[in-house]
Amino acid sequence: MASTERNTIELPRMGGPKAGGAARFAPHEKPKNGRRTFGRLAAVFLRYKGAVVSSLVLTALASAATVAVPVLTGKVFNTFDTAFRTVNTHTLFTLLCAIAALYAGSWVANTLSGVVILKVSQRLVLILRTEFFSKMQRLPLSFYDTTPRGDTMSRITNDADTISSTIAQSAAQLVSGILTLALSLAVMLSLDVPLTLAVLVCVPLVVLLTRTIAGKSRDYFYAQQRSLGILDGQIEESIHGLKMVKAFTKEDETLSRFSEVNKELCESSTKAQIWAGYMMPLMNVINNLTFTIVAVAGGILCTSHGLLIGTAVTFLGYAKQFATPLNSIAGLFNTIQSALAGAERVFEVMDETEETPDIPGAAPFTRPQGNVAFLDVGFSYDKKTPVLSHISFSAQAGHTVALVGETGSGKTTIVNLLNRFYDADSGIITIDDTDIRTIRRNDLRNCFSVVLQETSLFSGTIMDNIRYSRPSAADDEVKEAARIAHASEFIERLPQQYETHVSGSADTLSEGQRQLLAIARAVLCNSPILILDEATSSVDTKTEKEIQRALVQLRKGRTCFLIAHRLSTIRDADNILVIDNGKILENGTHAELMRKCGHYYDMVCSQTGKHQGKAG
């Protein structure tokens, strides 16, 4: 439950607003524990053990075929007898067919392996996103109060995509590269050691090149991502606050800030791409250098030491392809490190502490009457700064309790504790003399109909949004709830009436209209306890009076908690609690509090601008 009080308390502690301020998790570009994260990912992969093993076997076959081609190519040259100018046609034809078969087999194996690993990777992301979203439903409200929403969304979308597109595909390439190198090295050593050493000249050159290029480009790529994140944030802010931008004529300033960040993004992206672009041309230089060294060494060995021409040709083939998997392995290492960092961000949320579970064997809580009591309740969000201290009051079933006080005094926090969005640090909260900590959460929250200050609508029709509180409600019941909430008047003026589509982010409805829908939703819920947190803050005075008349009927037989800054809305409450700095200063009816001439009296005088006259 969002609350003004909550925000006021959290800002100094967190250093920014909960939706976009200081992040709960510190950003990092490399995993803190890559081995553990990889093990957890592997455990998910192994749910599809058969498919993963099949992919690895196919990758191994493709690598073996790739390594075998240069050997057979060398044998092709050996079928030619230059001394007698003859050729073994049968062997030549057989070898050419074998080479063609190896190329075809390698293509088929790689294709099948790619299809299998892609299916597994998508299933992996399906599992991670499902488990992540399921975890979100079990996290306490404190998590969302201290974690930027954009960061959480990024984890379930971008980081999950990174796992799919990077780790799954890179893993196959990594296995293929390692197998190709190992098999190639084994074959070359079995054929000729000196030529093998000539081919291995490329190894230190590739390592040095990769380390240099990757180090430079990585810094620029990180700068690119940082600039991109800032740019995305500015775009989101500009679109969301476009009315304010135009109202204060800040278009030029907004454009200037956008252009500055966009220029930084352009510069870092250009440098990143330039440095990354150096890789292939320089790799070609190394490949050609290696090829030249092997050709010269092979020529010398053939003419002076009786080496077969076919063997020299085989090594020329390995010289052309040996650096490629080596470069791939070096490049993939950094890519996989980055992807593991993304996976670690996902697992950080998965490891978050969930809501306190219901006590074992909790009995069903049925037919609640609505008697509420707070007994010496204390609470702190950060376990350091008290927010509520020694709060004690009771509300009889069917009575209305109003909570008034300045912003940040703790009014909404009281309601948050009643809903068990947070658990009290001390004291006891009861409903019908039952400690709410012994009630199953689903049963507890079925006791409440809630209208928040911040209205939440979901993508769907108006009918769907009102029915959200009770999905089994008939259409006539939904329309009756809208009539009681005085929402039917504007709904019936819409072209599609109750079938009009709305969403949580679009401004197709005014704030007042959205609030009326939220009130209709609470009416339909028909729970014994009604919570109205600034429920009429966004409606005009005429509509507010109509809603107040409707709420008089709605409150009959229900315990009602009213939170309001406009004191005119709570005059008829059975008990008014004046909250300040987390303590109850005064309580009583409107008339009783006015006679006391205390804090409540001063608040009324401040709002009305009139001196009420103190009782003697």
Side-chain angles (χ1 to χ4, degrees), residues 24 39 93 156 181 199 458 514 539:
R24 181 186 182 90
F93 180 76
I156 197 173
L181 283 177
V199 173
F458 302 93
R514 293 161 69 90
V539 298

Side-chain angles (χ1 to χ4, degrees), residues 550-606:
L551 292 179
V552 169
Q553 298 297 320
L554 180 61
R555 296 202 310 248
K556 286 183 178 179
R558 293 181 176 85
T559 307
C560 182
F561 288 86
L562 285 174
I563 299 176
H565 286 104
R566 283 188 262 186
L567 301 181
S568 59
T569 64
I570 49 92
R571 286 177 179 270
D572 60 343
D574 297 293
N575 190 19
I576 299 173
L577 304 180
V578 182
I579 314 294
D580 186 53
N581 291 324
K583 298 179 180 180
I584 298 177
L585 298 184
E586 302 171 336
N587 71 92
T589 64
H590 173 76
E592 291 171 346
L593 292 176
M594 290 300 290
R595 284 196 296 270
K596 289 182 179 179
C597 297
H599 197 81
Y600 179 81
Y601 174 88
D602 293 336
M603 292 174 65
V604 173
C605 291
S606 176

Side-chain angles (χ1 to χ4, degrees), residues 146-161:
T146 56
T147 306
R149 285 172 290 183
D151 180 74
T152 305
M153 292 172 61
S154 178
R155 290 170 192 258
I156 197 173
T157 54
N158 298 335
D159 290 330
D161 276 336

Side-chain angles (χ1 to χ4, degrees), residues 226-360:
R226 284 194 296 269
S227 298
L228 185 60
I230 296 173
L231 191 70
D232 287 343
Q234 284 195 1
I235 293 172
E236 182 181 0
E237 287 180 359
S238 298
I239 294 174
H240 184 71
L242 188 60
K243 291 179 181 177
M244 288 295 100
V245 172
K246 291 185 175 295
F248 291 97
T249 62
K250 294 293 183 180
E251 293 92 340
D252 291 340
E253 182 179 328
T254 302
L255 179 59
S256 176
R257 287 193 293 115
F258 176 86
S259 299
E260 182 180 345
V261 178
N262 199 24
K263 183 179 179 181
E264 292 177 1
L265 175 61
C266 178
E267 291 177 354
S268 57
S269 298
T270 301
K271 291 177 180 178
Q273 295 299 330
I274 288 175
W275 276 99
Y278 287 149
M279 181 66 76
M280 289 313 298
L282 292 176
M283 279 298 301
N284 288 334
V285 171
I286 293 175
N287 285 339
N288 291 332
L289 176 62
T290 305
F291 185 85
T292 302
I293 293 173
V294 171
V296 171
I300 294 173
L301 292 174
C302 286
T303 56
S304 303
H305 297 81
L307 183 71
L308 293 176
I309 294 178
T311 302
V313 171
T314 297
F315 273 88
L316 289 175
Y318 285 128
K320 292 294 284 185
Q321 73 177 31
F322 194 75
T324 302
L326 193 65
N327 178 56
S328 297
I329 292 172
L332 287 172
F333 179 76
N334 288 327
T335 303
I336 291 176
Q337 285 287 95
S338 177
L340 284 175
E344 198 168 71
R345 280 167 47 82
V346 172
F347 289 133
E348 278 181 341
V349 176
M350 301 286 282
D351 293 338
E352 277 290 308
T353 303
E354 299 180 4
E355 282 186 320
T356 305
D358 296 331
I359 63 173

